[in-house]
Amino acid sequence: MEQGAVIVTGASRGIGEAVARAVAADGRPLVLVARSADKLEALAAELGGPGRCLACPGDIGSWDDAQRIALAAQEAFGSIHGLVNNAGITRDGLFVRMSPEQWQAPLDVNLNGTFYFTRAVAPIMMRQRHGRIVNITSVIGLTGNAGQANYAASKAGIIALTKSVAKELGSRGVTCNAVAPGYVVTDMTADLPEKVRLGMLERIPLRRFGEPGDIAGVVRFLLSPEAAYITAQTLVVDGGMIA
Ligand code: NAP
């Protein structure tokens, strides 16, 4: 197995926490990122503590935090095997009522955050001539969605960024792929009205919502030696919802 740590953003709960647990189960050192320092510290201690798992509280929408955390990861573990750009937010609202601030928020966090962390880690991976970048996008970035124009644009941007980075860094041994979850049971989807949830369930051939572990398993695969020849792809993990 390739050496080096895996940085997981948005690791304090939901899909990111499941990814962190899956990566730890593979025996890889981890760097956990989110704003909630207490949750990160507790998870880092559970997953092995100093030497195995480092909590790095920070805001992914900050270029300074991205640079600081990339350096901390390299200093702590020597090399960086993977970066999982998972942290994300929604600010839902009808397009015709959307304020410029509401439009900007998911772009600042989801798209800029993915840029900042990839930009901070890419030179390290290029020097190593090895690295795996996995960006969590969404099926909404492929289909669009009423009430989510801002989120959809941020997630579509991540898909285009993924393909571009894959093309630019491929010759240096760095792969870059995206995973597009459908509906996954986390805090992000907890507030959806029951009627909307049931309507979605009917459109899912597998007749169940996704669990964070369903996404973590695919990320784990993309970080594994078996995925060495996969790059520039977007893997849809949605129970068949948008097929
Ligand atoms: P979640 O439960 O709301 O967790 C979001 C994570 O991102 C938390 O760990 C949060 O930690 C972190 N985060 C948010 N803003 C941040 C910031 N500015 N800086 C650092 N960390 C930040 O969401 P989730 O459902 O697990 O979603 C994870 C990813 O999957 C997101 O990119 C989301 O768009 C995508 N996705 C989710 C679904 C779904 O159905 N759940 C579907 C498609 C795609 P703190 O609050 O501690 O900072």
Side-chain angles (χ1 to χ4, degrees):
M1 191 168 72
E2 301 93 347
Q3 297 299 303
V6 175
I7 301 172
V8 182
T9 72
S12 60
R13 59 178 189 269
I15 293 169
E17 181 184 343
V19 168
R21 291 182 184 283
V23 171
D26 274 345
R28 293 188 190 281
L30 267 168
V31 176
L32 310 180
V33 184
R35 291 162 304 177
S36 317
D38 291 355
K39 283 191 196 167
L40 280 192
E41 300 287 357
L43 184 60
E46 191 192 328
L47 298 182
R52 300 300 311 163
C53 189
L54 183 68
C56 280
D59 184 342
I60 67 154
S62 153
W63 170 230
D64 290 349
D65 282 6
Q67 285 179 300
R68 171 178 59 79
I69 291 167
L71 276 181
Q74 197 186 18
E75 270 175 34
F77 298 111
S79 59
I80 302 176
H81 167 68
L83 166 65
V84 183
N85 285 306
N86 162 79
I89 60 164
T90 51
R91 288 290 180 273
D92 296 353
L94 289 178
F95 179 73
V96 287
R97 292 194 205 137
M98 193 171 279
S99 68
E101 292 74 24
Q102 193 178 3
W103 164 257
Q104 196 61 43
L107 288 161
D108 284 345
V109 176
N110 305 352
L111 185 55
N112 290 0
T114 301
F115 164 70
Y116 293 147
F117 271 74
T118 305
R119 174 66 183 78
V121 164
I124 297 169
M125 289 182 167
M126 287 167 80
R127 274 198 299 278
Q128 296 172 173
R129 297 206 158 257
H130 170 81
R132 300 286 177 84
I133 300 165
V134 181
N135 297 326
I136 307 300
T137 176
S138 167
V139 291
I140 302 303
L142 294 163
T143 63
N145 196 25
Q148 291 196 303
N150 48 1
Y151 180 76
S154 75
K155 293 298 187 178
I158 287 174
I159 293 171
L161 173 66
T162 300
K163 291 181 190 173
S164 305
V165 169
K167 288 177 182 182
E168 207 166 311
L169 303 193
S171 65
R172 306 296 183 96
V174 180
T175 68
C176 185
N177 292 288
V179 174
Y183 182 110
V184 182
V185 181
T186 68
D187 289 355
M188 186 175 271
T189 47
D191 292 338
L192 281 184
E194 192 60 14
K195 205 176 149 195
V196 177
R197 286 158 60 92
L198 291 176
M200 286 178 122
L201 196 55
E202 277 177 15
R203 292 173 21 225
I204 301 174
L206 290 181
R207 288 292 185 269
R208 69 171 177 88
F209 296 128
E211 296 292 334
D214 292 318
I215 311 305
V218 175
V219 175
R220 182 184 193 171
F221 166 67
L222 288 171
L223 293 169
S224 76
E226 286 73 24
Y229 199 55
I230 301 175
T231 198
Q233 303 305 307
T234 298
L235 268 76
V236 175
V237 186
D238 70 344
M241 185 167 73
I242 65 162

